[in-house]
C-alpha cells in the first residue's frame, strides 16, 4: 500500500539536475553522502532531470524503498525546479502541489521597500 503523502515528516527537493539513470541505490547515496541526511527516515526525496520533464521520488517504507517516477508529456511541459545544484530544500505539501501543477514553489517577488533616494 502506498503511503499518504501528508504522513511524511519532510519532503526534500534535490535542487539542480540529477542523473535519473540512478535508481534506488544511486539516489540513496546522493541523499546520504551529498546531503548528509538519513535516507531511512520518514522523508520523501525528490529529484529532477536536466530537461525538467522527469521526476523521481525516493522514500523508505519500513522494510524497503519506494521509488516514484513521473514523466511529463506534452510540448514544453516542464517542472519549475530550483537551480542551485548544491542545495536540498525542505518544502511543504502545498509547495509540492504547486510544483506538480507546473508552478514555482517560490512566491513571486514584489516591490522591495525603498528607504531613501536622491531627487534630481
Amino acid at each position: 500500500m502506498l503511503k499518504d503523502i501528508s504522513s511524511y515528516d519532510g519532503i526534500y527537493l534535490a535542487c539542480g539536475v540529477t542523473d535519473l539513470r540512478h535508481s534506488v541505490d544511486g539516489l540513496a547515496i546522493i541523499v546520504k553522502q551529498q546531503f548528509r541526511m538519513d535516507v531511512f527516515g520518514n522523508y520523501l526525496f525528490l529529484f529532477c532531470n536536466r530537461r525538467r520533464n522527469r521526476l523521481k521520488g525516493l522514500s523508505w517504507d519500513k522494510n524497503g524503498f519506494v521509488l516514484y517516477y513521473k514523466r511529463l508529456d506534452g510540448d514544453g511541459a516542464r517542472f519549475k525546479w530550483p537551480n542551485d545544484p548544491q542545495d536540498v530544500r525542505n518544502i511543504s505539501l502545498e509547495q509540492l502541489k504547486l510544483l506538480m501543477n507546473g508552478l514555482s514553489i517560490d512566491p513571486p517577488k514584489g516591490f522591495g521597500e525603498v528607504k531613501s533616494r536622491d531627487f534630481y
Side-chain angles (χ1 to χ4, degrees), residues 1-8 42 68 93:
M1 197 51 121
L2 293 178
K3 194 178 216 178
D4 177 17
I5 197 139
S6 64
S7 68
Y8 287 111
N42 186 33
Y68 302 96
L93 187 55

Side-chain angles (χ1 to χ4, degrees), residues 26-113:
L27 296 175
I29 288 170
I30 292 171
V31 170
K32 185 174 181 177
Q33 292 181 352
Q34 188 173 341
F35 299 128
R36 299 188 185 339
M37 296 184 72
D38 181 14
V39 73
F40 298 102
N42 186 33
Y43 308 116
L44 174 62
F45 299 98
L46 299 172
F47 306 86
C48 194
N49 68 337
R50 182 174 306 282
R51 292 180 53 204
R52 309 276 196 256
N53 65 343
R54 288 179 171 88
L55 179 140
K56 279 189 177 180
L58 180 69
S59 68
W60 176 254
D61 187 26
K62 297 179 187 170
N63 58 6
F65 285 102
V66 177
L67 185 67
Y68 302 96
Y69 182 77
K70 180 164 182 159
R71 182 186 78 187
L72 296 177
D73 282 325
D75 211 20
R78 303 284 181 261
F79 291 108
K80 306 285 189 222
W81 202 262
N83 289 323
D84 187 357
Q86 300 305 314
D87 195 17
V88 62
R89 290 183 57 183
N90 186 3
I91 65 169
S92 68
L93 187 55
E94 290 303 315
Q95 287 173 306
L96 178 60
K97 289 177 185 177
L98 289 172
L99 182 70
M100 298 307 281
N101 285 310
L103 301 170
S104 174
I105 62 171
D106 296 316
K109 294 183 169 94
F111 296 114
E113 181 181 348

